[in-house]
Amino acid sequence: QVQLVESGGGLVQAGGSLRLSCAASGRTFSSYVMGWFRQAPGKEREFVAAISSRSGSTYYADSVKGRFTISRDNAKNTVYLQMNSLKPEDTAVYYCNFLKSDFTPFGSWGQGTQVTVSS
């Protein structure tokens, strides 16, 4: 059974930092590209960042480039998102997922973790 459990969200002031974690199970974690997405109230879920399965190549949405860093620990089946210089517009529920080669997410979504950035 595939399971994704996100954690690490919270309330932070603008300019602050948070580190999100996503523990994955049910698939051979190290074989998959992993990604982070977010969904703000009233908006569609959007891509945030992705990391390749083994080489560690990373990809970011323009809105977070230079502020967010995605990483992974294949031994722990966990992907992380370090978020620095947070802005109120980063407020959203953040989700992780397994990705196809075209960065399309597949599999069931977890419960997500709420990030709220106050101005």
Side-chain angles (χ1 to χ4, degrees):
Q1 181 180 353
V2 177
Q3 190 173 19
L4 297 163
V5 180
E6 301 91 346
S7 62
L11 173 63
V12 63
Q13 288 188 329
S17 299
L18 284 172
R19 188 193 194 205
L20 307 184
S21 299
C22 169
S25 61
R27 294 185 188 274
T28 306
F29 179 81
S30 61
S31 298
Y32 291 92
V33 178
M34 295 297 297
W36 283 96
F37 295 76
R38 66 187 181 185
Q39 187 167 21
K43 294 188 177 182
E44 297 284 323
R45 184 150 32 201
E46 63 175 3
F47 169 80
V48 174
I51 185 166
S52 64
S53 57
R54 299 184 189 278
S55 71
S57 297
T58 56
Y59 311 86
Y60 298 95
D62 288 343
S63 58
V64 307
K65 203 170 293 183
R67 300 187 297 121
F68 290 11
T69 302
I70 187 172
S71 61
R72 66 191 295 161
D73 185 336
N74 287 340
K76 295 182 178 180
N77 288 0
T78 301
V79 61
Y80 304 97
L81 187 68
Q82 177 67 43
M83 306 187 296
N84 298 328
S85 302
L86 282 161
K87 304 175 181 180
E89 51 263 44
D90 294 319
T91 295
V93 179
Y94 284 71
Y95 303 87
C96 67
N97 212 330
F98 297 91
L99 304 183
K100 300 179 182 179
S101 58
D102 62 356
F103 289 4
T104 302
F106 66 95
S108 300
W109 294 96
Q111 85 288 348
T113 186
Q114 175 71 49
V115 172
T116 303
V117 184
S118 63
S119 57

